[in-house]
Amino acid sequence: MAILRLPYASISASAFPPLSILFRSPRTAAVSFCSASEFVPKDDSKRSPLKPGLYLVGTPIGNLEDITLRAIRVLRSANVILSEDTRHSGKLLQYYNIKAHLLSYHKFNEAQREQAVLNRLKQGEIVALISDAGTPGISDPGSQLAKMCAKENIDVIPIPGACAVVAALSASGLDTDEFTFVGFLPKHSGTRKERLVVSSNETRTQIFYVPPHKLSQFLDETTPYFGESRRCVIAREITKLHEEFWRGSLGEAKQEFLIRQPKGEITLLIEGKEETKAENPTESQLEQELAVLISDGHSLSTAVKTVAERTSMRKKEVYSLALKKFGKQIQVEDEAAE
């Protein structure tokens, strides 16, 4: 079945409504068109009223259908909705027939808005915070407000939703057990280099947000640290009409996007550094490390434990060597101390 993907920026309340498919038999299906608001239960009388607090509401990252029923309920119940861009968010609210007071809240005015928002929360209001796309506070305004609310013992309630990081990682084909979300690289060149040095040496998948017009520059800066052979995935326009997952090495990506200028939001993932097994140290190396620790006043057992933790050797093997080389010496020292 084909999935209709809805461009976020150009959609209106009357365009491309979602489909409700009612199957009458294995061979036939009746398709009915209905408005988006008909999918959302309108009778909340049997539900418990929402408690006052700050609600961090996840919103679609592209496809307007990627929103939860709970998110819609919270947005309909809010006394005020803080929005990064009121015009942009207005399209989402209109699509789901949500009539609420919108107040702009972005990186340029969040410091001025915070006290007024805190006052509303202390008066027992329901305040919902949304960003242009995804989860507020994650590379978007909201984290500072959440910190202030937590400090003031005001409830902060997350309403999970679409997330570009998780969506890109799940479909990347790279390791998902451990990952580091870096987000946008720092603007200062020195700090950027420091961050890339750290990321390039990590064994877990690294995830970045990259502006489309800076993709080529990002690849040029990244490749010297990660190496041209390191695998990467460039996830572009996730959930939108022109969604793309490009996979290859960093060297191949440099060549590909040197001549192709992509459009839309980009989440870029780079595989972690391959772990190399440490070689077992020689007996002389072990003896030297043990000798240093013992001469510094550590007990034999402590020295053995420390050396075993530093190397890939088993504790039993290190202890046996320590007894053979230093057992008599320690025994004499113990007898002299008595």
Side-chain angles (χ1 to χ4, degrees):
M1 179 179 70
I3 299 175
L4 179 63
R5 299 196 182 277
L6 306 176
Y8 198 129
S10 60
I11 196 71
S12 67
S14 60
F16 300 103
L19 300 177
S20 175
I21 302 179
L22 309 175
F23 290 96
R24 293 179 176 172
S25 71
R27 294 183 180 181
T28 62
V31 181
S32 64
F33 291 84
C34 55
S35 65
S37 59
E38 290 183 43
F39 282 89
V40 185
K42 296 181 180 180
D43 183 11
D44 291 330
S45 59
K46 296 182 180 179
R47 300 185 184 186
S48 300
L50 297 177
K51 63 180 180 180
L54 175 66
Y55 288 78
L56 305 178
V57 183
T59 54
I61 57 176
N63 191 317
L64 291 183
E65 294 178 353
D66 293 333
I67 193 168
T68 67
L69 298 180
R70 187 181 177 209
I72 294 174
R73 182 190 176 207
V74 169
L75 294 177
R76 284 181 172 168
S77 304
N79 297 106
V80 63
I81 298 176
L82 305 180
S83 168
E84 191 173 2
D85 185 335
T86 55
R87 293 171 299 177
H88 184 79
S89 298
K91 297 171 184 177
L92 173 68
L93 302 185
Q94 181 186 8
Y95 187 72
Y96 284 102
N97 194 29
I98 298 172
K99 298 178 175 63
H101 176 53
L102 270 176
L103 183 66
S104 66
Y105 187 87
H106 45 73
K107 64 180 181 179
F108 300 109
N109 72 357
E110 58 182 331
Q112 291 78 21
R113 295 275 198 218
E114 280 169 356
Q115 194 56 54
V117 173
L118 282 175
N119 291 338
R120 300 185 73 140
L121 288 164
K122 289 177 180 178
Q123 293 169 10
E125 291 193 5
I126 296 172
V127 177
L129 173 63
I130 61 177
S131 62
D132 285 350
T135 302
I138 309 299
S139 290
D140 274 325
S143 60
Q144 188 61 33
L145 181 58
K147 288 179 184 177
M148 292 182 67
C149 287
K151 187 177 180 180
E152 297 284 341
N153 292 319
I154 296 171
D155 286 332
V156 181
I157 304 100
I159 308 298
C163 176
V165 175
V166 176
L169 180 64
S170 66
S172 67
L174 300 179
D175 182 34
T176 61
D177 291 337
E178 290 186 297
F179 63 92
T180 299
F181 172 58
V182 181
F184 293 102
L185 283 176
K187 292 182 178 180
H188 186 267
S189 60
T191 311
R192 288 167 69 89
K193 290 178 181 178
E194 290 175 5
R195 176 65 252 185
L196 288 174
V197 169
V198 172
S199 289
S200 64
N201 285 304
E202 288 199 23
T203 57
R204 55 180 69 92
T205 302
Q206 302 294 294
I207 307 177
F208 303 86
Y209 282 158
V210 183
H213 62 282
K214 291 187 176 181
L215 176 58
S216 183
Q217 175 189 334
F218 177 90
L219 294 170
D220 284 338
E221 289 180 344
T222 304
T223 303
Y225 297 96
F226 287 83
E228 294 204 351
S229 61
R230 192 85 71 95
R231 287 188 303 157
C232 70
V233 176
I234 298 173
R236 187 179 66 85
E237 293 287 83
I238 301 175
T239 78
K240 299 182 183 179
L241 186 63
H242 300 291
E243 178 181 274
E244 176 189 15
F245 279 80
W246 186 94
R247 297 175 176 86
S249 68
L250 281 171
E252 292 169 339
K254 280 181 63 177
Q255 295 300 318
E256 172 74 16
F257 294 95
L258 183 64
I259 57 176
R260 176 158 73 97
Q261 298 298 318
K263 295 181 180 180
E265 302 297 326
I266 291 175
T267 303
L268 196 149
L269 306 91
I270 304 177
E271 73 173 339
K273 185 178 182 180
E274 186 177 353
E275 288 188 275
T276 55
K277 293 184 179 180
E279 294 183 2
N280 290 338
T282 63
E283 280 196 10
S284 60
Q285 290 173 327
L286 290 173
E287 288 175 20
Q288 185 177 1
E289 288 196 44
L290 287 166
V292 171
L293 290 168
I294 292 171
S295 64
D296 286 342
H298 294 283
S299 66
L300 181 65
S301 60
T302 301
V304 168
K305 181 181 177 182
T306 303
V307 171
E309 289 176 349
R310 288 180 183 174
T311 65
S312 58
M313 298 290 290
R314 288 186 299 174
K315 184 177 177 181
K316 185 178 180 180
E317 295 174 343
V318 180
Y319 192 76
S320 176
L321 176 65
L323 282 177
K324 185 171 65 175
K325 297 295 181 182
F326 303 101
K328 290 183 179 180
Q329 173 188 337
I330 293 172
Q331 185 178 1
V332 169
E333 291 175 353
D334 288 344
E335 291 174 352
E338 291 176 359

